[in-house]
Amino acid sequence: MFCSRTPFFMAAFLFCSALASGCAIMNKDNRLVLNSLDEAMQGSAIIDSTAGKIAAAPVALPVGMAAGVIDMAVVTPARATVPAGKDTVEYLWENPQGSDLRQAMLFIPKVVATPVLFISDWAVRSIFTTKF
């Protein structure tokens, strides 16, 4: 029974590793809160000694995890909103081609496609590493 599950778990692990390697939170430029926390701790007496690191671990671990979650769940998606909106406007609404009749016929499909394109672009920019 164990042998039959091993390939599945290995495949799932490899798939998750591949997704995590391109994850936006893995890019240092996308970790604003965690970077501020790191900069605040640099040069501190706590960080300079091993005993200080051990003493600070019960506080530093939950604070660091909370900073990572805030970066991942709030900051990065918020930063992805403006570029996703610009992409949506650029792809669907700027520089219309064709006659006025053609643009009138494409109006409803463009209106329907706007939230779909925005949400997909926003999700990709929020999850995977992109330039803002």
Side-chain angles (χ1 to χ4, degrees):
M1 184 168 225
F2 175 73
C3 292
S4 65
R5 291 184 184 174
T6 303
F8 172 74
F9 287 125
M10 289 298 291
F13 175 74
L14 290 174
F15 178 73
C16 290
S17 298
L19 284 179
S21 67
C23 185
I25 199 69
M26 297 299 174
N27 186 353
K28 187 173 180 168
D29 296 334
N30 292 338
R31 296 187 309 238
L32 300 178
V33 178
L34 206 52
N35 290 342
S36 332
L37 186 62
D38 285 342
E39 290 171 12
M41 294 303 292
Q42 291 302 323
S44 168
I46 296 171
I47 300 297
D48 292 340
S49 69
T50 305
K53 290 178 186 176
I54 292 171
V59 174
L61 181 66
V63 169
M65 293 295 286
V69 168
I70 290 170
D71 277 334
M72 184 173 55
V74 177
V75 175
T76 301
R79 290 179 65 207
T81 304
V82 172
K86 286 181 181 177
D87 286 347
T88 303
V89 169
E90 179 184 335
Y91 295 151
L92 292 178
W93 298 101
E94 284 183 358
N95 301 325
Q97 297 175 356
S99 66
D100 291 338
L101 176 62
R102 180 176 180 192
Q103 291 307 310
M105 290 180 352
L106 290 175
F107 181 74
I108 298 296
K110 283 183 176 183
V111 168
V112 170
T114 297
V116 173
L117 181 63
F118 174 77
I119 290 170
S120 354
D121 192 353
W122 174 79
V124 168
R125 286 179 176 275
S126 296
I127 296 170
F128 297 107
T129 304
T130 60
K131 297 279 185 187
F132 288 107

